[in-house]
């Protein structure tokens, strides 16, 4: 009997074909809906069609050629100056770190990290102080 | 009465149609779910900045930094740092932090045109040294643990040789030591013309060119048709797995441009036929590198199927640092750090760091 019931409830080939067609329509509309509502979806789709699931940024292609500088020699000199400034920035940071060590302290980063720790300790320590007062009184 | 042969044919067609649709539905689900790309998976705070570099300190679940022994991760400056902190549950740095260490990661950022003049000295004696100083100052420890990955391992090794008293334990991951071992990215770059890279008149080597060197290591693997077929096959995987693939693909595609002067100098010193690390004549600026100064415990890990840094070239660290703990793990260059079997490396690294 059970077998007969199963046969009764099993969809026919035609019914399955119709269901599949409806599912395909649903899939198609889901994609169309995402294309309309999600600005980045087409980009993600484009990436997927290139075989990549790269998300959130355009698929890297050859780096576009830089815009030709009016005077390449000037651009080169400017880049050298800019990089020299980066080097100088590093040296200044070194000096600041050394000064900080000489003062017996630490770097600004360390100070801010310690400050946070002190705040945490202070907030947990205040409970202890309150406790002491209560004991004394 | 239908023809049974025809009916079987129609059933097969329907099954194929259903399978194809299921793949498209899965692809839609993955493409519309939140991506993870371009940043590390673990919450972090910036504790130091210089030029494009950011030094990140990982935070715990409550948003506070940890207070355990400090560990500084040094990634390769030609790729993005987040391979070391890829996904929740698949993060090397996150795993080390979870073991109680105070973890820092260098994000070298994306170099600008002016950074083409950056050389080995700028990276080793400048950026890396100041990051170590910062970590040391924050933690109040004169010596810290350093973990270098790939080219970041080379920077870490050179730094440690120059400033050994500031490093308590050194871990080198897939770090090429013997440039004469054939294969790997150095040989490909050599064949693709890296020898022509100028030190005196450097250019910013485009990311696409560097990516081309990596793709040369496995010709065809990155062809358009190959990748599309591969993706289509993968769409049978569950969405969670596909999201992992998506994140990894993001990293693979996200190569950054490189300072030409750095590449030229590294090629001239460590490239095929030069091999100055093994010869003992390597320099950073005017300073000779003496690897005998590296007396602290050192763990070097190579990957058995590494196409970028062949295992033999990595294991040659034994020639420079005889006391080095050298191990080879199954897997590839990226797989041992961030793949599904990466826990072997993570656990060994924690064990090594805890011995200190």
């Amino acid at each position: 009997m059970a077998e007969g019931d199963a046969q009764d409830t099993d969809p026919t080939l035609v019914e399955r074909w119709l269901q599949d067609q409806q599912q395909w329509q649903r899939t198609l509309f889901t994609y169309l809906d995402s294309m309309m509502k999600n600005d980045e979806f087409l980009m993600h789709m484009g990436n997927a069609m290139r075989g990549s699931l790269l998300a959130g940024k355009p698929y890297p292609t050859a780096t576009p050629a830089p815009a030709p500088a009016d005077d390449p020699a000037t651009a080169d000199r400017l880049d050298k100056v800019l990089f020299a400034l980066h080097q100088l920035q590093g040296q200044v940071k070194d000096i600041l770190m050394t000064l900080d060590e000489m003062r017996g302290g630490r770097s600004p980063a360390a100070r801010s990290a310690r400050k946070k720790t002190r705040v945490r300790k202070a907030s947990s320590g205040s409970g202890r102080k309150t406790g002491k007062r209560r004991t004394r009184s | 009465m239908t023809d049974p042969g025809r009916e079987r044919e129609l059933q097969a067609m329907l099954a194929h149609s259903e399978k194809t649709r299921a793949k498209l539905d899965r692809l839609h689900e993955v493409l519309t779910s939140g991506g993870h790309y371009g940043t590390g998976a673990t919450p972090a705070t910036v504790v130091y900045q210089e030029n494009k570099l950011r030094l990140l300190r990982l935070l715990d679940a409550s948003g506070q930094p940890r207070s355990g022994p400090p560990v500084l991760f040094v990634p390769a400056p030609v790729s993005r740092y987040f391979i070391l902190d890829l996904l929740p549950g698949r993060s090397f740095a996150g795993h080390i932090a979870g073991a109680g260490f105070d973890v820092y990661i260098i994000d070298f950022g994306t170099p600008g045109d002016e950074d083409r003049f950056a050389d080995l000295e700028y990276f080793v004696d400048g950026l890396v040294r100041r990051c170590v100083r910062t970590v040391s100052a924050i933690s109040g420890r004169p010596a810290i643990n350093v973990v270098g990955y790939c080219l970041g391992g080379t920077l870490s090794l050179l730094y440690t040789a120059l400033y050994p008293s500031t490093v308590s334990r050194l871990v080198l991951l897939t770090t090429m030591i013997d440039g004469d071992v054939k294969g790997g990215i150095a040989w490909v770059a050599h064949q693709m013309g890296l020898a022509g890279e100028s030190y005196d008149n450097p250019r910013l080597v485009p990311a696409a060119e560097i990516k081309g060197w990596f793709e040369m290591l496995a010709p065809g693997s990155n062809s358009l048709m190959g990748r599309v077929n591969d993706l289509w096959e993968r769409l049978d995987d569950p969405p969670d797995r596909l999201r992992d693939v998506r994140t990894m693909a993001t990293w693979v595609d996200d190569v950054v441009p490189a300072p030409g002067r750095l590449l030229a100098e590294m090629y001239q010193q460590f490239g095929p036929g030069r091999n100055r690390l093994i010869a003992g004549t390597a320099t950073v600026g005017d300073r000779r590198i003496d690897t005998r100064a590296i007396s602290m415990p050192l763990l070097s890990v190579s990957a058995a199927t590494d196409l970028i840094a062949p295992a033999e070239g990595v294991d040659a660290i034994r020639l420079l640092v005889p006391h080095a703990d050298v191990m080879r793990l199954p897997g590839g260059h990226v797989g041992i750090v961030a793949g599904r079997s990466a826990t072997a490396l993570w656990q060994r690294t924690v064990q090594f760091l805890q011995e200190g």
Side-chain angles (χ1 to χ4, degrees), chain A residues 27-45:
Chain A
T27 299
L28 181 68
F29 282 122
T30 312
Y31 271 78
L32 289 173
D33 197 46
S34 293
M35 285 177 198
M36 297 294 289
K37 290 178 182 166
N38 184 346
D39 287 342
E40 290 189 342
F41 185 75
L42 278 176
M43 181 185 71
H44 294 319
M45 267 298 289

Side-chain angles (χ1 to χ4, degrees), chain A residues 20 23-24 27 30-31 34 52-55 59-60 76 79 86 89 93-94 98 101 106 109 120, chain B residues 17 21 24-25 28 47-51 64 114 116 129-130 133-134 137 227-228 231 246 250 253:
Chain A
D20 188 55
Q23 288 294 338
W24 268 108
T27 299
T30 312
Y31 271 78
S34 293
S52 167
L53 286 172
L54 182 67
Y59 186 82
D76 196 57
D79 280 345
H86 288 322
Q89 179 198 19
K93 288 197 181 252
D94 257 332
T98 305
E101 282 165 11
R106 290 169 183 170
R120 283 207 304 277
Chain B
S17 168
R21 190 169 35 72
L24 285 174
D25 287 345
H28 182 270
V47 293
Y48 179 73
Q49 278 180 290
E50 180 182 337
N51 196 350
Q64 297 298 329
E114 78 279 10
R116 65 185 188 273
R129 184 173 58 79
R130 282 187 283 277
R133 278 188 92 172
T134 304
R227 288 179 67 154
V228 170
L231 174 62
R246 180 190 193 187
T250 307
D253 283 338

